[in-house]
Amino acid sequence: MANHKSALKRIRNSETKRLRNRYQHKTARNAVRKLESTTKKSEAEKMFDDVISKVDKLAKKNIIHANKAARIKSRLAKHVASL
């Protein structure tokens, strides 16, 4: 167990951040899946900006790698264009 006050605080903070990151990552993944399963172009275009925003935020906070974010966005743009 930690011996310093600052170490205890760091443990609390890191757990809070871990849970927040996990929630945001899961939410973005579900949004991507929902967009990929959409077959109507109008619905997909409405959802597209929101999903791209979520993916960009994950990349900005280093929850996912920047190249992975680019790959996801590219794949989704291709999917929406093909509808």
Side-chain angles (χ1 to χ4, degrees), residues 60-73:
K60 183 179 179 184
K61 295 177 182 178
N62 288 321
I63 298 171
I64 62 173
H65 196 276
N67 290 354
K68 181 175 183 175
R71 185 174 66 244
I72 291 170
K73 294 190 306 187

Side-chain angles (χ1 to χ4, degrees), residues 17-28 58:
K17 288 176 185 179
R18 183 186 73 84
L19 292 173
R20 185 182 311 125
N21 289 342
R22 192 172 164 201
Y23 172 78
Q24 290 174 345
H25 195 187
K26 187 70 170 176
T27 305
L58 292 179

Side-chain angles (χ1 to χ4, degrees), residues 2-14:
N3 292 323
H4 298 282
K5 256 186 173 177
S6 60
L8 292 170
K9 183 176 178 182
R10 177 61 69 189
I11 290 168
R12 287 195 308 269
N13 285 343
S14 61

Side-chain angles (χ1 to χ4, degrees), residues 40-72:
K40 294 182 181 176
K41 190 172 180 85
S42 60
E43 281 183 28
E45 287 174 343
K46 288 178 186 174
M47 293 170 54
F48 184 71
D49 290 334
D50 183 45
V51 174
I52 295 303
S53 173
K54 287 180 180 179
V55 170
D56 281 338
K57 285 177 186 174
L58 292 179
K60 183 179 179 184
K61 295 177 182 178
N62 288 321
I63 298 171
I64 62 173
H65 196 276
N67 290 354
K68 181 175 183 175
R71 185 174 66 244
I72 291 170

